[in-house]
Amino acid sequence: MKTGKFQPHNRNISGFTLIELLILLAIVSLTLTITTPIALSIYKSQHEKHFFHVMNSDILLIQNIAVGGASQKSKLVFQKDQYTVINSIEQRVETRSYPSGWKLNGQNRTIYFKKNGTIGAPGTIVIHTDKNNYKVIFPLGKGRGYVEKQ
């Protein structure tokens, strides 16, 4: 039997209090504050690895083209803010810019390979990143060069 009188709500409803929500929010914000710099440093590290992987692929491409007979027409030209891949077989030029904050130490340098696969202009190129320095070494004799972290 219901009368028209006001019935109070059930007081046993469970939920979170304001204090519990504030504690949870503090834990989440603290976790984000700690993990964000770590994630950014991992991203930069992976970005460097990827850049040098692509550069090694470009160097190998130029060497393979030279061994195939297109010597000195295909080359890599390293400049202050970028390097250019000149592929004589496909008659394509690709410019790959260094990530922001990276600079090439010294003057422009052109790398090409002879028909026997040796480097036509041996030498070293130093690339300065935000935190590291890398030497791209093109040795005298056979080989295609390698990257060394200083």
Side-chain angles (χ1 to χ4, degrees):
M1 258 187 235
K2 286 189 177 180
T3 61
K5 294 184 179 179
F6 176 72
Q7 303 257 338
H9 290 324
N10 187 0
R11 300 266 182 208
N12 295 330
I13 298 175
S14 61
F16 295 108
T17 65
L18 181 61
I19 298 294
E20 291 170 333
L21 291 176
L22 288 175
I23 290 172
L24 179 67
L25 185 61
I27 291 171
V28 169
S29 61
L30 181 64
T31 305
L32 287 174
T33 303
I34 292 171
T35 58
T36 302
I38 295 170
L40 286 176
S41 69
I42 291 171
Y43 171 77
K44 285 184 178 184
S45 163
Q46 290 301 317
H47 193 65
E48 284 180 9
K49 285 181 184 178
H50 180 263
F51 177 83
F52 286 113
H53 178 74
V54 170
M55 181 187 289
N56 281 331
S57 297
D58 290 337
I59 292 168
L60 182 60
L61 170 71
I62 298 303
Q63 185 179 27
N64 285 334
I65 290 171
V67 170
S71 177
Q72 297 184 15
K73 294 177 185 172
S74 295
K75 55 191 170 188
L76 279 127
V77 181
F78 288 90
Q79 296 139 355
K80 187 176 183 178
D81 298 329
Q82 63 193 13
Y83 73 92
T84 305
V85 181
I86 301 170
N87 182 344
S88 66
I89 290 180
E90 295 177 8
Q91 303 197 348
R92 239 170 79 177
V93 175
E94 300 232 2
T95 301
R96 303 198 195 279
S97 297
Y98 305 133
S100 62
W102 290 27
K103 295 290 177 196
L104 179 75
N105 186 23
Q107 61 190 21
N108 295 351
R109 172 160 270 216
T110 300
I111 301 298
Y112 65 93
F113 289 88
K114 298 177 183 176
K115 286 188 178 195
N116 63 0
T118 60
I119 295 171
T124 302
I125 297 169
V126 178
I127 298 176
H128 300 284
T129 66
D130 295 335
K131 294 185 179 182
N132 301 310
N133 293 327
Y134 291 91
K135 281 185 178 179
V136 184
I137 301 169
F138 297 97
L140 183 64
K142 290 215 181 239
R144 63 182 158 105
Y146 57 92
V147 177
E148 185 178 278
K149 187 175 181 179
Q150 290 183 316

